[in-house]
Amino acid sequence: MAREELTRLTGNGNGECGEDDCPNVYLTKHGTVIVQGDVSDAFAPPQGEGLVEIPESVLREAVRALGW
């Protein structure tokens, strides 16, 4: 899936981080969520899964964007 196919719910590409390297939350056309963040080693997830860490403010912004 290409990034262009996703709806970006957070960040505007301005400020202290660049266009593509900030923690962000995206919505897919299937209604699922993709999270971009720093890789976390908090625990070992099941094979085929990964852990990322994002600031609480990013999650709050995504929730507001979805109107939840």
Side-chain angles (χ1 to χ4, degrees), residues 47-64:
Q47 186 173 355
E49 296 183 6
L51 303 175
V52 297
E53 187 173 345
I54 61 171
E56 180 182 330
S57 60
V58 173
L59 187 55
R60 288 181 183 274
E61 185 179 353
V63 168
R64 279 193 300 274

Side-chain angles (χ1 to χ4, degrees), residues 3-53:
R3 183 178 291 189
E4 295 77 29
E5 298 176 63
L6 305 172
T7 301
R8 187 173 177 169
L9 300 176
T10 57
N12 59 14
N14 297 323
E16 63 187 62
C17 54
E19 181 70 28
D20 298 327
D21 62 352
C22 301
N24 280 298
V25 177
Y26 299 88
L27 185 64
T28 71
K29 62 182 177 182
H30 307 291
T32 58
V33 174
I34 295 176
V35 178
Q36 174 186 350
D38 294 327
V39 176
S40 173
D41 61 359
F43 63 90
Q47 186 173 355
E49 296 183 6
L51 303 175
V52 297
E53 187 173 345

